[in-house]
């Protein structure tokens, strides 16, 4: 039986990513033991004077709940229990993580409102934006090879393609607007690719790197977010919204609560459903791309990752200080 290993990569200066690689026939209980051992070895090899344990999923708790840390963070980006094929034990694991965490961050306002009574220090942080990166799409750029032969007008989506995508809405819009090209970028996960609608004006281009996205968006006429309105999307705050806006694209979205309240209410995104999706798309395509640019830029100016991290860091300092002060008193 092959031995488990920890694969290490360094995608950028100061960031090291460790990924456990386990034998194919590993049982769930063996997986917990193996990952715990790999994690222990990784921590033992690194010198640190402050340890922050930062969870994005409660399912990491079984192999890491023994770690003594200075601050424990639960970064609750989505309601994972509502996603397709979610583990049955996820809800119980989240309860335990809420008890362990010193501070909880949520990926949007709706999910914050749903969970705010579950923890004494919980704070909403909707999607932030690397404005400079997506501003590249506002300048002329060479059309990527797999997109260059597609006619205009182009309506684009970039994101994970899973049960949150309203494939019926997409198919209906494409059928009614045969002159409009729908470009869909992103990996297909948890759904059968054979179930995706196949029409001449729907183009499935697969996953692209973060660095490539501005080049694609620069050659779109608008962005759209055809999300289904279901349990998996009830609490999402799509990162695509500020990214499309920063790219200088008009945006049409289905009625995702956080999009309606944050962007629709400010007139920055048009909200549509199956009945008026064609009208909203044609209206957006008919407007100048820079029609809302001043309002968009003013809104996005408050949403940088630097600002988000500064606010998060402040919360970390506040929850860490009592623990440090307590340790000093004990040492005295």
């Amino acid at each position: 039986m092959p031995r488990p290993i920890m694969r290490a990569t360094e995608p950028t200066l100061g960031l090291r990513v460790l990924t456990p690689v386990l034998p194919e026939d590993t049982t769930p209980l063996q997986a917990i033991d193996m990952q715990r051992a790999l994690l222990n070895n990784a921590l033992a090899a690194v010198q640190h004077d402050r340890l922050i344990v930062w969870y994005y999923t409660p399912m990491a708790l079984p192999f890491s709940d023994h770690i003594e840390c200075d601050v424990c963070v639960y970064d609750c980006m989505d309601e994972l229990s509502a996603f397709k094929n979610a583990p049955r034990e996820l809800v119980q694991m989240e309860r335990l993580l809420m008890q362990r965490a010193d501070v909880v961050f949520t990926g949007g306002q709706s999910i914050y409102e749903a969970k705010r009574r579950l923890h004494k220090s919980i704070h909403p942080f909707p999607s932030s934006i690397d404005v400079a990166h997506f501003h590249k799409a506002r300048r002329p750029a060479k059309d990527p090879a797999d997109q260059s032969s597609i006619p205009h007008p182009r309506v684009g989506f970039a994101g994970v393609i899973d049960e949150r995508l309203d494939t019926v809405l997409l198919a209906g819009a494409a059928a009614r607007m045969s002159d409009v090209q729908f470009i869909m970028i992103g990996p297909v996960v948890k759904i059968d690719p054979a179930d995706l609608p196949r029409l001449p004006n729907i183009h499935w281009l697969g996953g692209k790197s973060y660095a490539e996205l501005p080049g694609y968006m620069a050659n779109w006429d608008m962005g759209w977010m055809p999300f289904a309105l279901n349990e998996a999307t009830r609490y999402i705050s799509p990162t695509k919204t500020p990214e499309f806006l920063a790219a200088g694209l008009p945006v049409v979205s289905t009625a995702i609560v956080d999009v309606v309240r944050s962007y629709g209410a400010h007139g920055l995104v048009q909200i549509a459903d199956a009945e008026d999706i064609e009208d909203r798309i044609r209206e957006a395509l008919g407007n100048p791309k820079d029609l809302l640019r001043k309002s968009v830029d003013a809104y996005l100016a408050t949403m940088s990752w630097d600002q988000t991290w500064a606010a998060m860091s402040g919360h970390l300092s506040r929850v860490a200080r009592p623990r440090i002060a307590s340790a000093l008193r004990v040492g005295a």
Side-chain angles (χ1 to χ4, degrees):
M1 179 178 177
R3 296 181 61 185
I5 62 170
M6 191 74 93
R7 185 172 61 212
T9 58
E10 295 188 6
T12 190
L13 184 65
L15 176 64
R16 191 169 183 232
V17 177
L18 303 178
T19 305
V21 180
L22 310 183
E24 188 173 353
D25 55 354
T26 301
T27 68
L29 288 178
Q30 288 174 329
I32 291 173
D33 290 339
M34 290 177 182
Q35 289 177 96
R36 185 181 292 256
L38 290 171
L39 182 58
N40 288 342
N41 291 338
L43 288 175
V46 178
Q47 291 186 343
H48 56 269
D49 55 8
R50 188 184 186 206
L51 180 62
I52 298 174
V53 178
W54 195 298
Y55 289 90
Y56 286 105
T57 172
M59 297 310 296
L61 196 59
F63 61 82
S64 61
D65 60 358
H66 63 292
I67 296 175
E68 293 290 336
C69 60
D70 297 288
V71 181
C72 178
V73 179
Y74 175 27
D75 200 338
C76 183
M77 297 292 294
D78 291 295
E79 182 54 77
L80 298 177
S81 63
F83 282 22
K84 188 175 182 179
N85 302 326
R88 287 179 297 177
E89 63 271 30
L90 196 149
V91 173
Q92 175 61 20
M93 287 295 103
E94 183 175 79
R95 290 196 192 102
L96 295 174
L97 183 52
M98 285 285 190
Q99 295 171 10
R100 175 175 168 80
D102 296 298
V103 62
V104 178
F105 302 135
T106 67
Q109 187 67 25
S110 293
I111 195 169
Y112 163 77
E113 292 170 358
K115 295 182 182 290
R116 62 184 172 186
R117 293 179 180 85
L118 302 180
H119 199 277
K120 63 182 181 181
S121 181
I122 183 168
H123 312 277
F125 282 96
S127 301
S128 299
I129 175 69
D130 183 350
V131 170
H133 180 70
F134 287 96
H135 268 188
K136 297 173 186 175
R138 298 186 179 188
R139 302 189 294 269
K142 183 179 179 181
D143 215 358
D146 58 349
Q147 184 175 268
S148 60
S149 63
I150 299 173
H152 288 266
R154 297 171 177 174
V155 174
F157 170 83
V160 176
I161 296 167
D162 57 16
E163 75 273 18
R164 293 172 293 178
L165 184 73
D166 191 335
T167 54
V168 174
L169 179 68
L170 168 60
R176 292 196 300 273
M177 293 182 279
S178 59
D179 59 311
V180 176
Q181 307 301 312
F182 295 87
I183 297 172
M184 308 297 291
I185 288 176
V188 179
V189 300
K190 295 189 289 182
I191 59 175
D192 188 345
D195 293 336
L196 298 175
R198 305 288 173 176
L199 291 171
N201 59 331
I202 302 178
H203 309 272
W204 302 97
L205 300 189
K208 306 299 175 186
S209 70
Y210 184 73
E212 292 176 295
L213 292 179
Y216 283 87
M217 294 179 186
N219 294 283
W220 294 353
D221 299 294
M222 62 162 277
W224 79 321
M225 298 185 295
F227 288 113
L229 303 181
N230 57 30
E231 285 300 307
T233 62
R234 171 64 184 85
Y235 301 108
I236 65 171
S237 179
T239 57
K240 297 301 106 186
T241 321
E243 290 174 356
F244 287 166
L245 291 172
L249 296 170
V251 182
V252 173
S253 174
T254 50
I256 298 302
V257 174
D258 279 9
V259 176
V260 173
R261 297 198 306 188
S262 298
Y263 298 94
H266 288 85
L268 304 179
V269 170
Q270 292 198 52
I271 306 301
D273 57 26
E275 301 303 317
D276 64 357
I277 187 68
E278 180 176 1
D279 292 340
R280 299 287 79 77
I281 287 178
R282 292 201 182 280
E283 181 181 349
L285 289 173
N287 290 331
K289 288 179 72 172
D290 61 355
L291 179 66
L292 300 173
R293 187 158 295 181
K294 186 175 180 180
S295 300
V296 163
D297 288 350
Y299 191 88
L300 297 182
T302 66
M303 297 174 57
S304 75
W305 286 112
D306 288 341
Q307 290 165 309
T308 293
W309 171 243
M312 285 182 166
S313 183
H315 291 301
L316 298 185
S317 298
R318 281 188 285 276
V319 298
R321 271 198 293 266
R323 181 172 297 185
I324 294 171
S326 175
L328 291 174
R329 285 197 295 272
V330 171

